[in-house]
Amino acid sequence: MHNIDDWDEDVLKRYPEPGKPAKAKDEFRNYDSPGTDGVREFYRLNHKYQTYDNVLAKKANFLKFDKKEMPWWSAMEFLNTLIDDSDPDTSLDQLQHLLQTAEAIRADGHPDWFVLTGFIHDLGKVLCLFGEPQWNVVGDTFPVGCKFSDKIVYPEFFSDNPDSHDERFNTKYGIYSHHCGLDNVQMSWGHDEYLYQITKDHLPEPALYMIRYHSFYSQHREHEYDHLLNAHDHEMFKWVDKFNPYDLYSKSPVEPVVAELKPYYEDLIAKYLPATVKL
Ligand SMILES: [Fe+2]
Ligand SMILES: [Fe+2]
């Protein structure tokens, strides 16, 4: 993909805002080559390489949190260096997407930890700045270690994934059991799991579910993995469902002014999170 955000735009095409007509294709950004080719190629790589072993290897590396340590606000600015110059009409930088998501949550009167969650939910995309390819950072997430649902976008590309041909992993349950609970399930690697691991001791549980599963569209939109969720997961997914529209549909015509909002978000960070974040 030209830009890491092309994936988000593609999700929006798949799941348009209810009650609003789906955007015509030409309302979305266009490149010299059609954006869909880039997204298709992105998923070809994602589905081929997101194996059970990939997840364990990425966890072994990134959950050491030995790459960088900095104040949270600085980390948000660090994330914001993730801008693709080749994109002729970058609509939003990372910080704008996060502020717009958070401000929409705040405007609806939700608790402050929910607002904070909106503000930081994509910080895990700093993985790109550590050299990770896009397919290991963004895109729909899904369980590994069991059969890939055919409701995941571009399911045909899973035939190139070695796990599809490994009898430990290619059955409905694979290495898991009936209603074993998502905490026992390995998800494909990406910015969701990474930020969950960073924040898991600091935020209320609904916030952690939103962070950890916000790209798990085959569950929160398609309910394809009900057999792995336990009752508690179902309860918590109500929060994931509540969060998702803010992530997808909060693009505002008027861009929030970072300098004006910074004090409010600095206070929120100070209330819930340690002074620095280890990445
Ligand atoms: Fe995200
Ligand atoms: Fe997002």
Side-chain angles (χ1 to χ4, degrees):
M1 297 186 292
H2 287 253
N3 189 298
I4 193 169
D5 296 323
D6 289 354
W7 165 68
D8 300 89
E9 302 245 335
D10 187 66
V11 173
L12 201 48
K13 271 186 259 181
R14 270 189 279 144
Y15 300 114
E17 189 165 6
K20 292 203 178 162
K23 278 192 183 178
K25 262 194 178 157
D26 58 8
E27 284 183 60
F28 287 92
R29 286 181 286 167
N30 258 316
Y31 303 101
D32 294 334
S33 59
T36 47
D37 288 353
V39 172
R40 209 180 128 82
E41 175 62 8
F42 163 80
Y43 278 111
R44 189 184 68 76
L45 298 171
N46 175 275
H47 292 3
K48 180 174 180 178
Y49 294 119
Q50 283 285 358
T51 59
Y52 187 78
D53 286 348
N54 174 67
V55 172
L56 297 192
K58 291 298 148 186
K59 283 188 162 179
N61 178 4
F62 285 104
L63 303 190
K64 287 188 288 197
F65 305 115
D66 60 355
K67 310 290 180 282
K68 252 181 194 303
E69 180 172 1
M70 59 183 114
W72 274 85
W73 187 269
S74 305
M76 304 302 287
E77 290 178 333
F78 176 54
L79 171 71
N80 217 29
T81 63
L82 186 60
I83 293 172
D84 188 333
D85 303 324
S86 71
D87 184 351
D89 86 276
T90 304
S91 47
L92 285 185
D93 60 34
Q94 299 295 324
L95 202 50
Q96 279 296 327
H97 166 61
L98 292 171
L99 280 174
Q100 294 193 12
T101 303
E103 285 295 288
I105 294 167
R106 177 152 76 131
D108 283 351
H110 290 297
D112 62 356
W113 53 261
F114 194 163
V115 179
L116 178 61
T117 301
F119 181 58
I120 64 172
H121 77 274
D122 281 336
L123 178 62
K125 290 182 183 175
V126 295
L127 286 168
C128 280
L129 298 169
F130 299 139
E132 284 302 301
Q134 289 176 345
W135 62 262
N136 237 339
V137 180
V138 294
D140 291 42
T141 59
F142 44 82
V144 295
C146 62
K147 192 177 191 304
F148 302 112
S149 160
D150 57 16
K151 291 278 178 62
I152 300 167
V153 62
Y154 293 116
E156 64 273 22
F157 290 138
F158 282 117
S159 59
D160 290 337
N161 187 310
D163 288 1
S164 296
H165 311 285
D166 187 322
E167 58 191 21
R168 291 172 298 165
F169 302 137
N170 64 6
T171 60
K172 179 177 178 183
Y173 287 95
I175 60 171
Y176 309 117
S177 58
H178 192 58
H179 295 167
C180 62
L182 284 182
D183 205 32
N184 295 305
V185 170
Q186 299 281 1
M187 297 294 292
S188 58
W189 179 249
H191 69 286
D192 310 56
E193 178 69 20
Y194 181 47
L195 185 64
Y196 161 73
Q197 295 285 347
I198 290 169
T199 52
K200 66 180 178 184
D201 296 328
H202 308 292
L203 294 175
E205 197 180 15
L208 299 176
Y209 267 78
M210 295 176 198
I211 289 169
R212 195 176 199 182
Y213 300 113
H214 74 270
S215 307
F216 188 8
Y217 285 93
S218 56
Q219 179 56 35
H220 61 78
R221 292 288 185 136
E222 312 289 345
H223 308 287
E224 279 291 287
Y225 291 95
D226 278 350
H227 54 288
L228 298 181
L229 273 67
N230 60 27
H232 187 63
D233 292 326
H234 280 292
E235 209 42 52
M236 287 293 127
F237 262 62
K238 290 175 185 164
W239 290 98
V240 180
D241 294 341
K242 220 174 269 196
F243 173 77
N244 184 249
Y246 293 109
D247 190 13
L248 284 187
Y249 311 128
S250 62
K251 230 176 227 186
S252 98
V254 186
E255 294 197 0
V257 179
V258 177
E260 281 172 13
L261 293 170
K262 185 177 173 184
Y264 170 78
Y265 286 95
E266 287 269 49
D267 283 352
L268 265 191
I269 288 167
K271 180 171 173 185
Y272 289 98
L273 299 168
T276 61
V277 54
K278 290 194 181 80
L279 300 170

